[in-house]
Every structure is written in structure tokens, then in C-alpha cells.
Amino acid sequence: MNDNRPIIAANWKMYKTPQEGHQFAQELAIKALNLTGVRFILFPSATGLFHILEALKDSSVEFGGQNMHSASEGAFTGETSASMLLACGCRWVIIGHSERRHIFHETDADLCAKIPAALDAGLNVILCIGELLEERQAGSTEEVLRQQLQDDLAGMESFPVERLVIAYEPVWAIGTGVVATPEQAGEAHARVRVILQELFPDLPVERVRILYGGSVKSANAAQLIKIPGIDGFLIGGASLDIDQYVKIAEISQIETKVKL
Ligand code: 13P
């Protein structure tokens, strides 16, 4: 069945020890019982995955890895494979986060190898895309989004709509406190749908889940989630605080009921 509840995903980046993550997940598992109108997904660092599995064993809260290697195994020091993530209970993986692209120099070719590797292994994917400030200022946002989607999804015959989620994360809004306006985010999400339709003519593009990420807080969540085409959030800083994170989920649950 098509699950169209807003996805409220927490990207913890390189924050929280396994113990801190465990405590957060235990508290969230209780709070999530009253928030069945949203879908929670936690992305702790790889070292915390097993603790999260333990904390969430009877919970509807999902979790995943922040990155993975495209190979199933091998001499790749410091890397994690899809089967290792699955063995820790992950159902999800983030691929192509802007920090992976810009700090660790992952290329679209790298990401293009990772996406089918993750899907084939049985993981669902959140693929992150987004433009730099200078690209937006140069008026090339649409071109950047098109190039990323085209190159990252190259070779895929179909778009598995239930298992592949897009996160639009303008790089200038990540960790800066500068959030995209509802108009900017809404327009980018609409563009992404148009581009996906061009790439996959048979895709029921209205069913693709597109998350917004970049300085999402409880103070701006309502205005963003109200926008048609924004199907949830990928949250960094504000997801580290359980009260902020749950507040964003509560707001999303209420506003989505109004939107439907
Ligand atoms: P912030 O919410 O801290 O801006 O981070 C967004 C992000 O990168 C989520 O993946």
C-alpha cells in the first residue's frame, strides 16, 4: 500500500555516541506511539546502529545508515556495505548527502553505483540533491538538479517509487540557519517532479516522496510542510534534540491532515 504519511527523518551526522543515540531512540519509541500520522526514520552514525536496533525492536520507528559503499565487500578500509547495514537492522540508507559530495568528493558516478547496490540488497534509499549558493545565484538551480538526477539515476530502468525517496537539500541552507522560503522549496520540488517525469515517462510522479532539508526547525516546519509537493523533512541540527524533533513531527502530522 502507498504510505503517504510525511517522512520525518533525522540525519545525526557525526553527532551522538551509541549510548546517547540509544537513549534518544528509547524516548522516541514511546513518543511515536501517539504520532502514527508520520513516519520516523533515524540516521545515526554507523557505530550506533546496533544500539538503535536494540532500542527500537518493538517500535514503528525506522532507521538507516548515513552512507554505504557500492561493493558488497572488499578491501575498502573505513567503509560499510549494504549487507552490513542490513545486518544491523537498517531498512534505509542516505546516498549523496551534500557533505559526502562536497567534503568527501563523492562523484555522481560513485552515487550511480551505490543506488542500485543499495536497492538490490534490500535497502530503501534517500537520495540527496541540491544546488550550491553560487549555482542558485547564477540561475542554474534547475540545471544542477537535472544533472544530479540524470547522472545519479543513470542506467535505472524504472524508479522504484516506494523505495527511493528524494531529499532536496539546497547546500546554502544546510547548517546555516538560512531556510529556503516555502516558494523556493515548493518550486524546486515541482522541478524535481518534472525532471523525474522526463527521465521516467511511466513513473506516477505524484507518488514520489520528496523531502526538504536545510535548517528545518519547529519554527519553520509548518510553513514548509503546508506546501504541496513537500512530503517530509530530512533534519540535521534540530533532530539532535528530541523535543525539537518531536515538535516538528507533531506539526507535520497536524498540517498534513489539513493539507489532505
Ligand atoms: P540542518 O538541518 O542542520 O541544516 O542539516 C540538514 C541536513 O543536512 C540533513 O541531511
Side-chain angles (χ1 to χ4, degrees), residues 11 13 97 99 169 173-175 214-216 234-237:
N11 176 9
K13 309 190 179 185
H97 190 275
E99 286 145 23
E169 299 206 304
I174 296 179
S215 296
V216 175
L234 183 54
I235 310 159

Side-chain angles (χ1 to χ4, degrees), residues 172-179 212-217 220 224:
W172 46 271
I174 296 179
T176 57
V178 181
V179 66
Y212 169 79
S215 296
V216 175
K217 311 257 177 298
N220 55 34
L224 287 162

Side-chain angles (χ1 to χ4, degrees), residues 67-74 79-87 123:
N67 180 31
M68 57 164 259
H69 197 278
S70 57
S72 56
E73 60 182 4
E79 293 290 323
T80 309
S81 70
S83 60
M84 292 169 186
L85 294 179
L86 284 160
L123 289 167

